[in-house]
Amino acid sequence: MAKRRISIDDGRAALAAARAGSSARSDVATAVRYLLEELAERAPGNTVEVRVPPYGATQCVSGPRHTRGTPPNVIETDAQTWIALACGELDWNTAVGDARVVASGSRAALVGLLPLVREHPVEAETLDV
C-alpha cells in the first residue's frame, strides 16, 4: 500500500478550497495528490496508472503488474476533471464520453471505485472525506 505523503487535514483543506473555486496551484496540486493517494489506498495494486499532469500519478487496482515502460492500462485527465470525478460531481461514463478522460487498456476504468468523496463542497470541512 502506498504511504500517504499529504496529511488528511491538509488534503481535506486543499480539496475544500479547490472545490470552492480556488485556482491556486498549491490548493489544486495538493487536492489532486490527496485524491490520488486516497485512490491508491482504496484500490491497492499496480495494474492501472492514473495520471493527472502536471500534478501527479499513481498506480492502483490489483492484478498483473507491469515492470518497464508505459503500463498497459493508463488513465489520464486534467485536475478539474479528476477532482469532479473523485468527488462525485461527474460520472465516469460522461467524462470518457466527453473526452475529458483518456483511458487505454482493457482494465483502464475506475467504475465502482469512484467517487472517493461524497459530500457537498460547502460541507467539506465538517464531514469526513
Side-chain angles (χ1 to χ4, degrees), residues 38-124:
E38 185 65 23
L39 176 63
E41 186 172 295
R42 291 187 189 191
N46 298 97
T47 299
V48 177
E49 184 165 294
V50 180
R51 300 174 180 168
V52 185
Y55 302 110
T58 195
Q59 291 184 359
C60 57
V61 182
S62 63
R65 179 184 173 105
H66 72 279
T67 55
R68 287 190 278 188
T70 301
N73 301 291
V74 176
I75 295 167
E76 188 165 321
T77 190
D78 62 90
Q80 290 73 27
T81 300
W82 171 239
I83 292 169
L85 283 166
C87 294
E89 297 163 0
L90 177 65
D91 72 86
W92 178 260
N93 292 327
T94 300
V96 172
D98 291 348
R100 294 175 65 181
V101 169
V102 176
S104 62
S106 61
R107 300 191 68 192
L110 298 177
V111 176
L113 297 174
L114 299 174
L116 300 170
V117 177
R118 297 182 192 264
E119 80 280 354
H120 187 273
V122 174
E123 301 166 350

Coordinates of all heavy atoms in Angstrom, one line a residue, residues 38-124:
E38 N -5.7 8.7 -2.0 CA -6.9 8.0 -1.5 C -7.3 6.9 -2.4 O -7.6 5.8 -2.0 CB -8.0 9.0 -1.4 CG -9.3 8.5 -0.8 CD -9.1 8.1 0.7 OE1 -8.2 8.6 1.4 OE2 -9.9 7.2 1.1
L39 N -7.2 7.1 -3.7 CA -7.5 6.0 -4.7 C -6.5 4.8 -4.5 O -7.0 3.7 -4.4 CB -7.4 6.5 -6.1 CG -7.6 5.5 -7.2 CD1 -9.0 4.9 -7.2 CD2 -7.3 6.1 -8.6
A40 N -5.2 5.1 -4.4 CA -4.3 4.1 -4.2 C -4.5 3.3 -2.9 O -4.2 2.1 -2.9 CB -2.8 4.6 -4.3
E41 N -4.9 4.0 -1.9 CA -5.2 3.3 -0.6 C -6.4 2.4 -0.7 O -6.4 1.3 -0.2 CB -5.4 4.4 0.5 CG -5.5 3.7 1.9 CD -5.5 4.8 3.0 OE1 -4.5 5.5 3.1 OE2 -6.5 4.9 3.6
R42 N -7.5 2.9 -1.4 CA -8.7 2.1 -1.5 C -8.6 1.0 -2.5 O -9.3 0.0 -2.4 CB -9.9 3.0 -1.9 CG -10.2 4.0 -0.8 CD -11.4 4.7 -1.1 NE -11.7 5.8 -0.1 CZ -12.8 6.5 -0.1 NH1 -13.8 6.2 -0.9 NH2 -12.9 7.4 0.8
A43 N -7.8 1.1 -3.5 CA -7.6 0.1 -4.6 C -6.1 -0.2 -4.8 O -5.6 0.2 -5.9 CB -8.3 0.6 -5.9
P44 N -5.5 -0.8 -3.8 CA -4.0 -1.0 -4.0 C -3.7 -2.0 -5.1 O -4.5 -2.9 -5.4 CB -3.6 -1.6 -2.6 CG -4.9 -2.2 -2.1 CD -6.0 -1.3 -2.6
G45 N -2.6 -1.7 -5.7 CA -2.1 -2.6 -6.8 C -1.3 -1.8 -7.8 O -1.0 -0.6 -7.6
N46 N -1.0 -2.4 -8.9 CA -0.1 -1.8 -9.9 C -0.6 -2.1 -11.4 O 0.2 -2.0 -12.3 CB 1.3 -2.4 -9.8 CG 1.9 -2.0 -8.5 OD1 1.9 -2.8 -7.6 ND2 2.4 -0.8 -8.4
T47 N -1.9 -2.3 -11.5 CA -2.4 -2.7 -12.8 C -2.8 -1.5 -13.7 O -2.7 -1.5 -14.9 CB -3.6 -3.6 -12.7 OG1 -3.2 -4.8 -12.0 CG2 -4.2 -4.0 -14.0
V48 N -3.3 -0.4 -13.0 CA -3.7 0.8 -13.7 C -2.9 2.0 -13.2 O -2.7 2.1 -12.0 CB -5.2 1.0 -13.4 CG1 -5.7 2.3 -14.1 CG2 -6.1 -0.2 -13.9
E49 N -2.5 2.8 -14.1 CA -1.8 4.1 -13.8 C -2.8 5.2 -14.1 O -3.3 5.3 -15.2 CB -0.5 4.2 -14.5 CG 0.2 5.5 -14.1 CD 1.7 5.5 -14.6 OE1 2.4 4.6 -14.1 OE2 2.0 6.3 -15.4
V50 N -3.0 6.0 -13.1 CA -3.9 7.2 -13.2 C -2.9 8.4 -13.2 O -2.2 8.6 -12.2 CB -4.9 7.3 -12.1 CG1 -5.8 8.6 -12.2 CG2 -5.8 6.1 -12.0
R51 N -3.0 9.2 -14.3 CA -2.2 10.4 -14.4 C -3.0 11.7 -14.4 O -4.0 11.7 -15.2 CB -1.4 10.3 -15.7 CG -0.5 9.1 -15.8 CD 0.2 9.0 -17.2 NE 1.0 7.8 -17.3 CZ 1.5 7.4 -18.4 NH1 1.3 8.0 -19.6 NH2 2.3 6.3 -18.4
V52 N -2.6 12.7 -13.7 CA -3.2 14.0 -13.7 C -2.1 15.0 -13.8 O -1.6 15.6 -12.8 CB -4.0 14.2 -12.4 CG1 -4.8 15.5 -12.5 CG2 -5.0 13.1 -12.1
P53 N -1.6 15.2 -15.1 CA -0.5 16.1 -15.3 C -0.9 17.5 -15.0 O -2.0 17.9 -15.3 CB -0.1 15.9 -16.7 CG -1.2 15.1 -17.3 CD -2.0 14.5 -16.3
P54 N 0.0 18.3 -14.5 CA 1.4 18.1 -14.1 C 1.5 17.7 -12.6 O 2.6 17.7 -12.1 CB 2.0 19.4 -14.4 CG 1.0 20.4 -14.0 CD -0.3 19.8 -14.5
Y55 N 0.4 17.4 -12.0 CA 0.3 17.3 -10.5 C 0.7 16.0 -10.0 O 1.3 15.9 -8.9 CB -1.0 17.7 -10.0 CG -1.4 19.1 -10.4 CD1 -2.4 19.3 -11.3 CD2 -0.7 20.2 -9.9 CE1 -2.8 20.6 -11.7 CE2 -1.1 21.5 -10.3 CZ -2.1 21.7 -11.2 OH -2.4 22.9 -11.6
G56 N 0.4 14.9 -10.6 CA 0.8 13.6 -10.0 C 0.2 12.4 -10.8 O -0.5 12.6 -11.8
A57 N 0.6 11.3 -10.3 CA 0.2 10.0 -10.9 C 0.2 8.9 -9.8 O 1.0 9.1 -8.8 CB 1.1 9.6 -12.1
T58 N -0.5 7.9 -10.0 CA -0.5 6.8 -9.0 C -0.8 5.5 -9.7 O -1.4 5.5 -10.8 CB -1.5 7.0 -7.8 OG1 -1.1 6.1 -6.8 CG2 -2.9 6.8 -8.3
Q59 N -0.4 4.4 -9.2 CA -0.7 3.1 -9.7 C -1.7 2.5 -8.7 O -1.6 2.7 -7.5 CB 0.5 2.2 -9.8 CG 1.4 2.7 -11.0 CD 2.5 1.8 -11.2 OE1 2.7 0.8 -10.6 NE2 3.3 2.2 -12.2
C60 N -2.7 1.8 -9.2 CA -3.7 1.2 -8.4 C -4.3 0.0 -9.0 O -4.0 -0.4 -10.1 CB -4.8 2.3 -8.1 SG -5.6 2.9 -9.6
V61 N -5.2 -0.6 -8.4 CA -6.0 -1.8 -8.8 C -5.1 -3.1 -8.9 O -4.1 -3.1 -9.6 CB -6.7 -1.6 -10.2 CG1 -7.5 -2.8 -10.6 CG2 -7.6 -0.3 -10.2
S62 N -5.5 -4.0 -8.1 CA -4.8 -5.3 -8.1 C -4.9 -6.0 -9.4 O -5.9 -5.9 -10.1 CB -5.2 -6.2 -6.9 OG -6.6 -6.5 -7.1
G63 N -3.9 -6.8 -9.7 CA -3.9 -7.6 -10.9 C -2.5 -7.7 -11.5 O -1.5 -7.5 -10.7
P64 N -2.3 -8.0 -12.8 CA -1.0 -8.1 -13.4 C -0.2 -6.8 -13.2 O -0.7 -5.7 -13.4 CB -1.3 -8.4 -14.8 CG -2.7 -8.8 -14.9 CD -3.4 -8.2 -13.7
R65 N 1.1 -6.9 -12.9 CA 1.9 -5.8 -12.7 C 2.8 -5.6 -13.9 O 3.4 -6.6 -14.4 CB 2.8 -6.1 -11.4 CG 3.8 -5.0 -11.1 CD 4.6 -5.4 -9.9 NE 5.7 -4.4 -9.7 CZ 5.6 -3.5 -8.7 NH1 4.7 -3.5 -7.9 NH2 6.6 -2.6 -8.6
H66 N 3.0 -4.3 -14.3 CA 4.0 -4.1 -15.3 C 5.3 -3.6 -14.6 O 5.3 -3.1 -13.5 CB 3.5 -3.0 -16.3 CG 3.5 -1.6 -15.7 ND1 2.5 -1.2 -14.9 CD2 4.4 -0.6 -15.8 CE1 2.8 0.0 -14.5 NE2 3.9 0.4 -15.0
T67 N 6.4 -3.9 -15.3 CA 7.7 -3.5 -14.7 C 8.5 -2.5 -15.4 O 9.3 -1.8 -14.9 CB 8.6 -4.8 -14.5 OG1 8.7 -5.4 -15.8 CG2 7.9 -5.7 -13.5
R68 N 8.3 -2.3 -16.7 CA 9.1 -1.3 -17.5 C 8.2 -0.7 -18.6 O 7.3 -1.3 -19.1 CB 10.2 -2.0 -18.2 CG 11.3 -2.4 -17.3 CD 12.5 -2.8 -18.0 NE 12.3 -4.2 -18.4 CZ 13.3 -5.0 -19.0 NH1 14.4 -4.5 -19.2 NH2 13.0 -6.2 -19.3
G69 N 8.6 0.6 -18.9 CA 7.9 1.3 -19.9 C 6.5 1.7 -19.5 O 6.1 1.8 -18.4
T70 N 5.7 2.1 -20.5 CA 4.4 2.6 -20.3 C 3.5 1.4 -19.9 O 3.5 0.4 -20.6 CB 3.8 3.2 -21.6 OG1 4.7 4.3 -22.0 CG2 2.4 3.7 -21.4
P71 N 2.7 1.6 -18.8 CA 1.9 0.5 -18.4 C 0.8 0.2 -19.4 O 0.4 1.2 -20.2 CB 1.3 1.0 -17.1 CG 1.6 2.4 -17.0 CD 2.7 2.7 -18.0
P72 N 0.2 -1.0 -19.5 CA -0.8 -1.3 -20.5 C -2.2 -0.6 -20.2 O -3.0 -0.5 -21.1 CB -0.9 -2.8 -20.4 CG -0.4 -3.2 -19.1 CD 0.6 -2.1 -18.7
N73 N -2.4 -0.2 -19.0 CA -3.7 0.4 -18.6 C -3.4 1.8 -18.0 O -2.9 1.9 -16.9 CB -4.4 -0.5 -17.5 CG -4.6 -1.9 -18.1 OD1 -5.5 -2.1 -19.0 ND2 -3.9 -2.9 -17.6
V74 N -3.7 2.8 -18.8 CA -3.4 4.2 -18.4 C -4.7 5.0 -18.5 O -5.4 4.9 -19.4 CB -2.3 4.8 -19.3 CG1 -2.1 6.2 -18.9 CG2 -1.0 4.0 -19.2
I75 N -4.9 5.8 -17.4 CA -6.0 6.8 -17.4 C -5.3 8.1 -17.2 O -4.5 8.3 -16.4 CB -6.9 6.5 -16.2 CG1 -7.6 5.1 -16.5 CG2 -7.9 7.6 -16.1 CD1 -8.3 4.6 -15.2
E76 N -5.7 9.1 -18.1 CA -5.2 10.4 -18.0 C -6.3 11.5 -18.1 O -7.2 11.3 -18.9 CB -4.1 10.7 -19.0 CG -3.4 12.0 -18.8 CD -2.1 12.1 -19.7 OE1 -1.4 11.1 -19.8 OE2 -1.9 13.2 -20.1
T77 N -6.2 12.5 -17.2 CA -7.2 13.5 -17.2 C -6.6 14.8 -16.6 O -5.5 14.8 -16.1 CB -8.5 13.1 -16.4 OG1 -9.5 14.1 -16.6 CG2 -8.2 13.0 -14.9
D78 N -7.3 15.9 -16.7 CA -6.9 17.2 -16.1 C -7.3 17.2 -14.6 O -8.1 16.4 -14.2 CB -7.4 18.3 -16.9 CG -8.9 18.4 -16.9 OD1 -9.5 19.0 -16.0 OD2 -9.6 17.7 -17.7
A79 N -6.8 18.2 -13.9 CA -7.0 18.3 -12.5 C -8.5 18.6 -12.2 O -9.1 17.9 -11.3 CB -6.2 19.5 -11.9
Q80 N -9.2 19.4 -12.9 CA -10.6 19.7 -12.6 C -11.5 18.5 -12.8 O -12.4 18.2 -12.0 CB -11.1 20.9 -13.5 CG -10.4 22.3 -13.1 CD -9.0 22.4 -13.5 OE1 -8.5 21.8 -14.5 NE2 -8.2 23.2 -12.7
T81 N -11.2 17.8 -13.9 CA -12.0 16.6 -14.2 C -11.7 15.5 -13.1 O -12.6 14.9 -12.6 CB -11.6 16.0 -15.6 OG1 -12.0 17.0 -16.5 CG2 -12.4 14.7 -15.9
W82 N -10.4 15.4 -12.7 CA -10.1 14.4 -11.6 C -10.8 14.7 -10.3 O -11.4 13.8 -9.7 CB -8.6 14.3 -11.4 CG -8.2 13.5 -10.3 CD1 -7.5 13.9 -9.2 CD2 -8.6 12.1 -10.0 NE1 -7.4 12.8 -8.3 CE2 -8.0 11.7 -8.8 CE3 -9.3 11.1 -10.7 CZ2 -8.1 10.5 -8.2 CZ3 -9.4 9.9 -10.2 CH2 -8.8 9.5 -8.9
I83 N -10.8 16.0 -9.9 CA -11.5 16.4 -8.7 C -13.0 16.1 -8.8 O -13.6 15.6 -7.9 CB -11.1 17.8 -8.3 CG1 -9.7 17.9 -8.0 CG2 -12.0 18.3 -7.2 CD1 -9.1 19.4 -7.8
A84 N -13.6 16.5 -10.0 CA -15.0 16.3 -10.2 C -15.4 14.8 -10.1 O -16.4 14.4 -9.5 CB -15.4 16.9 -11.5
L85 N -14.6 13.9 -10.8 CA -14.8 12.5 -10.7 C -14.7 12.0 -9.3 O -15.5 11.2 -8.8 CB -13.8 11.8 -11.6 CG -14.0 11.8 -13.1 CD1 -12.8 11.4 -13.8 CD2 -15.2 11.0 -13.5
A86 N -13.6 12.3 -8.6 CA -13.3 11.8 -7.3 C -14.4 12.3 -6.3 O -14.6 11.6 -5.3 CB -11.9 12.2 -6.8
C87 N -15.0 13.4 -6.5 CA -16.0 14.0 -5.6 C -17.4 13.6 -6.0 O -18.4 14.1 -5.4 CB -15.8 15.5 -5.5 SG -14.2 15.9 -4.7
G88 N -17.6 12.9 -7.1 CA -19.0 12.5 -7.5 C -19.7 13.6 -8.2 O -21.0 13.5 -8.4
E89 N -19.1 14.6 -8.7 CA -19.7 15.7 -9.4 C -19.8 15.4 -10.9 O -20.4 16.1 -11.6 CB -19.0 17.0 -9.1 CG -19.0 17.4 -7.7 CD -18.0 18.4 -7.3 OE1 -17.2 18.9 -8.2 OE2 -17.9 18.8 -6.1
L90 N -19.1 14.3 -11.3 CA -19.0 13.9 -12.7 C -18.9 12.4 -12.7 O -18.1 11.9 -11.9 CB -17.8 14.6 -13.4 CG -17.5 14.2 -14.8 CD1 -18.6 14.7 -15.8 CD2 -16.1 14.8 -15.3
D91 N -19.7 11.7 -13.5 CA -19.6 10.3 -13.6 C -18.6 9.8 -14.7 O -18.4 10.6 -15.6 CB -21.0 9.6 -13.7 CG -21.5 9.8 -15.1 OD1 -21.2 8.9 -16.0 OD2 -22.3 10.7 -15.3
W92 N -18.1 8.7 -14.4 CA -17.0 8.1 -15.3 C -17.4 8.1 -16.8 O -16.7 8.5 -17.6 CB -16.6 6.7 -14.8 CG -15.6 6.1 -15.7 CD1 -15.8 5.1 -16.6 CD2 -14.2 6.4 -15.7 NE1 -14.6 4.8 -17.2 CE2 -13.6 5.5 -16.6 CE3 -13.4 7.2 -14.9 CZ2 -12.3 5.6 -16.9 CZ3 -12.0 7.2 -15.2 CH2 -11.5 6.4 -16.2
N93 N -18.6 7.5 -17.1 CA -19.0 7.3 -18.4 C -19.2 8.7 -19.2 O -18.9 8.8 -20.3 CB -20.3 6.5 -18.5 CG -20.1 5.1 -18.1 OD1 -19.0 4.5 -18.3 ND2 -21.0 4.5 -17.5
T94 N -19.7 9.7 -18.5 CA -19.8 11.0 -19.1 C -18.5 11.6 -19.3 O -18.2 12.2 -20.4 CB -20.6 11.9 -18.1 OG1 -21.9 11.4 -17.9 CG2 -20.7 13.3 -18.7
A95 N -17.5 11.5 -18.4 CA -16.2 12.0 -18.6 C -15.5 11.4 -19.8 O -14.9 12.0 -20.6 CB -15.4 11.8 -17.3
V96 N -15.6 10.1 -19.9 CA -15.0 9.4 -21.0 C -15.7 9.7 -22.3 O -15.0 10.1 -23.3 CB -15.0 7.8 -20.8 CG1 -14.6 7.1 -22.1 CG2 -14.1 7.4 -19.6
G97 N -17.0 9.8 -22.3 CA -17.8 10.1 -23.5 C -17.5 11.5 -24.0 O -17.5 11.8 -25.2
D98 N -17.3 12.4 -23.1 CA -17.0 13.8 -23.4 C -15.5 14.1 -23.7 O -15.0 15.2 -23.8 CB -17.4 14.8 -22.3 CG -18.9 14.9 -22.1 OD1 -19.6 14.4 -23.0 OD2 -19.4 15.4 -21.1
A99 N -14.7 13.0 -23.7 CA -13.2 13.0 -23.9 C -12.5 13.9 -22.9 O -11.5 14.5 -23.2 CB -12.9 13.5 -25.3
R100 N -13.0 13.9 -21.7 CA -12.4 14.6 -20.6 C -11.4 13.7 -19.9 O -10.6 14.1 -19.1 CB -13.4 15.2 -19.6 CG -14.2 16.3 -20.2 CD -15.3 16.8 -19.3 NE -14.7 17.4 -18.1 CZ -15.5 17.9 -17.1 NH1 -16.8 17.8 -17.2 NH2 -14.9 18.5 -16.1
V101 N -11.5 12.4 -20.2 CA -10.7 11.3 -19.7 C -10.2 10.5 -20.9 O -11.0 10.1 -21.7 CB -11.4 10.4 -18.7 CG1 -10.6 9.1 -18.4 CG2 -11.8 11.1 -17.4
V102 N -8.9 10.2 -20.9 CA -8.4 9.3 -22.0 C -8.0 8.0 -21.2 O -7.2 8.1 -20.3 CB -7.1 9.9 -22.7 CG1 -6.5 8.9 -23.6 CG2 -7.5 11.2 -23.4
A103 N -8.6 6.9 -21.6 CA -8.3 5.6 -21.0 C -7.9 4.6 -22.0 O -8.6 4.4 -23.0 CB -9.6 5.2 -20.2
S104 N -6.7 4.0 -21.8 CA -6.3 3.0 -22.8 C -6.0 1.7 -22.0 O -5.4 1.8 -20.9 CB -5.1 3.5 -23.5 OG -4.0 3.7 -22.7
G105 N -6.3 0.6 -22.5 CA -6.1 -0.7 -21.9 C -7.4 -1.3 -21.5 O -8.4 -0.6 -21.1
S106 N -7.4 -2.6 -21.4 CA -8.6 -3.3 -21.1 C -9.1 -3.2 -19.7 O -10.3 -3.4 -19.4 CB -8.5 -4.8 -21.4 OG -7.4 -5.4 -20.6
R107 N -8.2 -2.7 -18.8 CA -8.6 -2.6 -17.4 C -8.6 -1.1 -17.0 O -8.6 -0.8 -15.8 CB -7.7 -3.4 -16.5 CG -7.8 -4.9 -16.8 CD -7.1 -5.8 -15.9 NE -7.9 -5.7 -14.6 CZ -7.4 -6.2 -13.5 NH1 -6.2 -6.8 -13.4 NH2 -8.1 -6.1 -12.4
A108 N -8.5 -0.2 -17.9 CA -8.4 1.2 -17.6 C -9.7 1.9 -17.4 O -10.3 2.6 -18.3 CB -7.6 1.9 -18.7
A109 N -10.3 1.6 -16.3 CA -11.6 2.2 -15.9 C -11.7 2.2 -14.4 O -11.1 1.4 -13.7 CB -12.8 1.3 -16.4
L110 N -12.3 3.2 -13.9 CA -12.5 3.4 -12.4 C -13.9 3.3 -12.0 O -14.2 3.7 -10.9 CB -11.9 4.8 -12.0 CG -10.4 5.0 -12.3 CD1 -10.0 6.4 -11.9 CD2 -9.6 3.9 -11.6
V111 N -14.7 2.7 -12.8 CA -16.1 2.4 -12.4 C -16.1 1.5 -11.2 O -15.4 0.6 -11.1 CB -16.9 1.7 -13.6 CG1 -18.3 1.4 -13.2 CG2 -16.8 2.6 -14.9
G112 N -16.9 1.9 -10.2 CA -17.0 1.2 -9.0 C -16.0 1.7 -7.9 O -16.2 1.3 -6.8
L113 N -15.0 2.4 -8.3 CA -14.0 3.0 -7.4 C -14.3 4.4 -7.1 O -13.8 5.0 -6.1 CB -12.6 2.8 -7.9 CG -12.2 1.4 -8.2 CD1 -10.8 1.4 -8.9 CD2 -12.1 0.6 -6.8
L114 N -15.1 5.1 -7.9 CA -15.4 6.5 -7.7 C -16.9 6.6 -7.4 O -17.7 5.8 -7.9 CB -15.1 7.3 -9.0 CG -13.6 7.3 -9.4 CD1 -13.4 8.0 -10.7 CD2 -12.7 7.9 -8.4
P115 N -17.3 7.6 -6.7 CA -16.5 8.7 -6.1 C -15.7 8.3 -4.9 O -16.1 7.4 -4.2 CB -17.5 9.8 -5.8 CG -18.8 9.0 -5.6 CD -18.7 7.8 -6.4
L116 N -14.7 9.1 -4.6 CA -13.9 8.9 -3.3 C -14.5 9.7 -2.2 O -14.3 9.5 -1.0 CB -12.5 9.2 -3.6 CG -11.8 8.4 -4.7 CD1 -10.4 9.0 -4.9 CD2 -11.6 7.0 -4.2
V117 N -15.2 10.8 -2.6 CA -15.7 11.8 -1.6 C -17.1 12.1 -2.1 O -17.4 12.2 -3.2 CB -14.9 13.1 -1.7 CG1 -15.5 14.2 -0.8 CG2 -13.4 12.9 -1.4
R118 N -18.0 12.2 -1.1 CA -19.4 12.3 -1.5 C -20.1 13.6 -1.0 O -21.3 13.8 -1.3 CB -20.2 11.1 -1.0 CG -19.8 9.8 -1.7 CD -20.6 8.7 -1.2 NE -20.0 7.4 -1.6 CZ -20.3 6.8 -2.7 NH1 -21.3 7.2 -3.5 NH2 -19.7 5.6 -3.0
E119 N -19.5 14.3 -0.1 CA -20.2 15.5 0.4 C -20.1 16.7 -0.5 O -19.3 16.8 -1.4 CB -19.6 15.8 1.8 CG -18.4 16.6 1.8 CD -17.1 15.8 1.6 OE1 -17.2 14.5 1.5 OE2 -16.0 16.3 1.4
H120 N -21.0 17.6 -0.2 CA -21.1 18.9 -0.9 C -19.9 19.8 -0.5 O -19.5 19.7 0.6 CB -22.4 19.6 -0.5 CG -22.7 20.8 -1.3 ND1 -22.2 22.0 -1.0 CD2 -23.4 21.0 -2.5 CE1 -22.6 22.9 -1.8 NE2 -23.3 22.3 -2.7
P121 N -19.4 20.6 -1.5 CA -18.2 21.4 -1.2 C -18.3 22.3 0.1 O -17.4 22.4 0.8 CB -18.0 22.3 -2.4 CG -18.9 21.7 -3.5 CD -19.9 20.8 -2.8
V122 N -19.5 22.8 0.3 CA -19.7 23.7 1.5 C -19.5 22.9 2.8 O -19.0 23.4 3.8 CB -21.1 24.4 1.4 CG1 -21.3 25.1 2.7 CG2 -21.2 25.3 0.2
E123 N -19.8 21.6 2.7 CA -19.7 20.8 3.9 C -18.4 20.1 4.0 O -18.2 19.4 5.0 CB -20.8 19.7 3.8 CG -22.2 20.3 3.8 CD -23.2 19.2 3.4 OE1 -22.8 18.1 2.9 OE2 -24.4 19.5 3.4
A124 N -17.5 20.3 3.1 CA -16.2 19.5 3.1 C -15.4 19.6 4.3 O -14.7 18.7 4.7 CB -15.4 20.0 1.9

